[in-house]
Structure formats: C-alpha cells, structure tokens
Amino acid sequence: MNMILKIFLALAALLILAQFIRPDRNESDDRTYDISTKYTVPDDVNHVLQVACNDCHTNKTVYPWYYNVQPVAWWLDNHITDGKRHLNFSEFTKRPIAVQNHKLEEIVEMVEEKEMPIKDYTYLGMHPDANLTDAQRELIINWAKEQMAMLKATYPADSLKMKPRQPAPAS
C-alpha cells in the first residue's frame, strides 16, 4: 500500500510540474503570404475555413479552455504543428505555384473523402461548427477547383505540375 501511495504522489507531482512547461502558442497571425493575398476567398468560404480549418492550418489558433491543462496542450500543439506542415493558409503564397496548385488538389480530395476536418477536432461535440454539411463541403470543393482553374488559365501547364522527387544518391 505504501508503494502505491508513493507512485500516486510521484505521478501527481509530475502532473503539477507539467502545468508549468507549455508549448509556444500559434498566434503570430502574420498574413503576409496568406492565401487571401492572391486568391479570391468569398465570405461564405472564409467562414467555413475559419470554423473548420484555420485553427490547425494557419498561424492563428483560437485555443479552447482545455488547452490550459497539460498534457492536453502538447497533444493539441502536435495536431497544429502537423496540420500546418501539411497545409498552412497563412504561408500559402510563399510556396512555389506548383505546390499551391497541389495543395488545392489535396483540399478537394481531403474534403471530398471527409478526411478533414479530422474527427479529433469535432469529437465529443467540440467545435460543432466544424461538422461540415454536404453543402459546406461542396462550397469548399468548388472554391478550390475554381482557384485551380484560375491557376490553369494564368500559368503555363508545366509550371503547375510538381517536379518528381530525385532519388537519393546511392552511397
């Protein structure tokens, strides 16, 4: 019994100490290279992006109250970092045009296949506005396809294709 109490106290102490070690917040909101600086983002599309995408796919996250509890903040920070690694609307136009086109293709694919927003984001009724309706999904898909059509009409076809990755040289 004494050993169980020691383990419990050690775990409680670690949990308390963890409250003081926090990841950096994703709150820069630098919009220099934001998607809206080059692409048309209508108000209805912007609203859906705000409620369903931007927390993990921009440089400005609106944090829920439970972010203040560790280790939840680390878990959320991992989701945000991973989301931004795949698609960051705040830095969208900084990328080569072929990458921008490819990211728009991925938006279409992920939204069509209902892979986005991820289930963890809407689990247990959290972020209820992010539970996209079929109409909202269609809105995002059509918008992304319109942006791809604009790119196709503006740039040479070969500039919109991702270059194949070169295999690593053999050692």
Side-chain angles (χ1 to χ4, degrees):
M1 185 80 134
N2 196 8
M3 179 60 90
I4 292 174
L5 180 61
K6 287 180 182 179
I7 292 172
F8 175 76
L9 290 174
L11 289 174
L14 286 174
L15 189 60
I16 289 169
L17 284 175
Q19 303 312 305
F20 298 101
I21 304 169
R22 300 185 175 275
D24 292 335
R25 286 182 170 253
N26 182 45
E27 298 177 320
S28 79
D29 202 24
D30 180 358
R31 302 180 68 83
T32 306
Y33 300 101
D34 192 77
I35 192 167
S36 64
T37 63
K38 180 176 180 176
Y39 297 87
T40 302
V41 184
D43 289 342
D44 53 353
V45 171
N46 190 48
H47 173 72
V48 174
L49 293 177
Q50 283 179 342
V51 299
C53 309
N54 287 357
D55 281 344
C56 294
H57 294 290
T58 69
N59 291 337
K60 177 71 172 158
T61 299
V62 177
Y63 289 95
W65 66 267
Y66 48 86
Y67 180 81
N68 295 312
V69 179
Q70 298 298 351
V72 175
W74 295 324
W75 180 70
L76 290 175
D77 185 63
N78 183 55
H79 276 283
I80 293 165
T81 302
D82 191 48
K84 286 174 47 176
R85 184 174 56 80
H86 288 288
L87 172 66
N88 187 342
F89 288 123
S90 296
E91 298 178 7
F92 197 83
T93 63
K94 188 188 278 189
R95 309 294 302 272
I97 199 68
V99 174
Q100 293 175 40
N101 189 60
H102 181 67
K103 293 299 175 186
L104 290 164
E105 289 173 342
E106 287 182 340
I107 290 169
V108 170
E109 179 183 333
M110 299 298 272
V111 173
E112 276 181 341
E113 295 177 6
K114 297 184 178 182
E115 292 183 30
M116 283 289 144
I118 61 172
K119 299 294 181 229
D120 288 354
Y121 193 67
T122 58
Y123 189 67
L124 295 175
M126 296 181 294
H127 307 102
D129 292 343
N131 283 312
L132 300 181
T133 65
D134 288 341
Q136 288 171 315
R137 288 184 183 284
E138 200 62 33
L139 179 72
I140 296 296
I141 291 165
N142 289 340
W143 167 76
K145 287 180 177 179
E146 288 168 9
Q147 303 319 299
M148 291 167 52
M150 179 274 296
L151 291 176
K152 187 176 181 181
T154 307
Y155 294 94
D158 63 336
S159 67
L160 298 177
K161 296 291 178 200
M162 298 278 290
K163 305 284 187 259
R165 291 185 181 197
Q166 298 297 323
S171 327

